Amino acid sequence: MLHMPKNIVILTGAGISAESGLDTFRDQGGLWANHSVDEVATPEAFVKNPKKVQKFYNQRRQELRNVEPNNAHRALATLEERWDGDFTLITQNVDDLHERAGSKNLLHMHGELLKVRCTHSHEIISWQEDLDAKTPSPFHPEGILRPHIVWFGELPLYMDVIFRKLDEADIFVAIGTSGQVYPAGGFVQHVYMKGNCDRIEINLDQSDLSYLFNEHYTGKATEEVPKWVDALLQAK
Ligand code: BV8
């Protein structure tokens, strides 16, 4: 039987960056323990109190200067390099650790901390500095710059290509995500319903969606992800 390379789709969440020192959202002492989503992560919050919203993202953007990718990020970059089938990495994370570890085919469905967007023209540019409440946009006199982040109530990015990849997936892996945010939380259900897809969860604990996966690696991402990648490449 000819070796038919399998198509892999990987979804990562904040848990893959936890051991690099970036807070997750819903763990003890996580971002949502110290900030209210409604005050810093919705379009309404940005209209109501742009200074507070910009401060929340300025802090997280500056934090990226002090953290490095970890062995879980690096293992996924190795897998992408060596895999002979289709490989898609979807991340809910807005940090740049996957890129810095060498990942190439990467879809930031919730945006990126190191990019900003003109509120008028929607043009996107790379950006490392802080934003003020109303930093003027270079693209349009009436526009200001906002974080290129998908807030609650906004449509995530790349959804068409994501669902095309999910439809063709032979292996779906969710790493370090609580599965509490949609539509990302619905991806495992989608591949479960389509059938013919191995569903693997790599997480420190159980998640809301653990029952939908047929394989679990429970432990720290920096230990479990390299183990899983090695085993997969051996079996190839
Ligand atoms: C949408 C950017 C519709 C911000 C994020 C009212 C109106 C509209 C929509 C809704 C609504 N009410 C509810 C919804 C749906 C809403 C939603 O899902 N709400 C939830 C809370 C119920 N979704 C949306 O609003 C989405 N948009 O639905 O649009 C629409 C349709 C048509 C047209 C227009 C609009 C948009 C969702 C995106 C929101 N933005 N991020 C920012 O980053 O500041 S979401 C945010 O949550 C982050 O992106 C984060 O990545 C994501 C998911 O969290 P996780 O990554 O899973 O992190 P979490 O802390 O939860 O879990 C960490 C996990 O890691 C745990 O399982 C833990 O065990 C594990 N872990 C920890 N350490 C380790 C580890 N694992 C391994 N090793 C370790 N060391």
Side-chain angles (χ1 to χ4, degrees):
M1 149 84 157
L2 262 178
H3 166 65
M4 293 297 284
K6 290 182 182 291
N7 301 329
I8 293 186
V9 176
I10 296 178
L11 171 70
T12 60
I16 198 168
S17 298
E19 291 162 85
S20 293
L22 291 179
D23 284 341
T24 62
F25 291 85
R26 294 169 188 84
D27 289 326
Q28 197 75 20
L31 283 166
W32 298 150
N34 310 308
H35 301 86
S36 148
V37 171
D38 295 335
E39 290 179 2
V40 294
T42 66
E44 297 75 16
F46 187 56
V47 172
K48 192 164 160 238
N49 191 341
K51 196 171 174 59
K52 186 179 186 109
V53 173
Q54 297 289 20
K55 183 166 178 273
F56 177 59
Y57 289 98
N58 289 343
Q59 277 168 344
R60 292 171 63 196
R61 191 179 301 110
Q62 293 317 322
E63 235 184 342
L64 294 184
R65 297 168 190 262
N66 315 319
V67 296
E68 297 295 326
N70 61 49
N71 286 341
H73 298 106
R74 279 190 276 273
L76 295 185
T78 303
L79 178 58
E80 178 178 7
E81 203 182 300
R82 298 205 193 141
W83 191 250
D84 52 3
D86 195 54
F87 179 95
T88 305
L89 175 55
I90 305 162
T91 187
Q92 300 172 88
N93 300 341
V94 293
D95 62 56
D96 63 339
L97 296 178
H98 281 304
E99 293 87 332
R100 287 165 55 193
S103 289
K104 302 270 181 291
N105 188 6
L106 175 59
L107 299 171
H108 276 281
M109 67 179 288
H110 290 164
E112 298 174 62
L113 274 173
L114 293 177
K115 289 183 180 162
V116 296
R117 193 193 315 161
C118 170
T119 52
H120 197 89
S121 72
H122 305 297
E123 300 234 12
I124 297 164
I125 48 172
S126 292
W127 193 270
Q128 278 77 30
E129 307 314 318
D130 286 355
L131 285 179
D132 297 329
K134 297 196 183 308
T135 304
S137 162
F139 300 107
H140 197 282
E142 285 165 44
I144 59 168
L145 292 178
R146 63 162 275 184
H148 177 53
I149 295 283
V150 176
W151 285 325
F152 286 94
E154 294 185 320
L155 193 61
L157 308 169
Y158 311 112
M159 292 309 287
D160 48 350
V161 61
I162 285 175
F163 276 101
R164 254 203 328 276
K165 293 293 182 183
L166 291 173
D167 287 340
E168 296 156 7
D170 303 302
I171 303 171
F172 175 75
V173 194
I175 302 172
T177 181
S178 62
Q180 291 185 34
V181 169
Y182 284 80
F187 292 172
V188 62
Q189 183 102 31
H190 187 87
V191 294
Y192 178 84
M193 299 302 281
K194 98 175 168 78
N196 301 320
C197 184
D198 269 348
R199 302 170 310 282
I200 298 154
E201 182 175 51
I202 303 178
N203 199 309
L204 199 56
D205 296 319
Q206 289 286 313
S207 76
D208 287 9
L209 303 172
S210 292
Y211 71 98
L212 284 165
F213 291 87
N214 56 289
E215 222 177 301
H216 297 88
Y217 290 71
T218 305
K220 289 180 174 179
T222 54
E223 290 162 13
E224 298 306 324
V225 176
K227 253 195 293 189
W228 170 72
V229 167
D230 289 349
L232 190 70
L233 291 174
Q234 296 290 333
K236 208 179 67 169

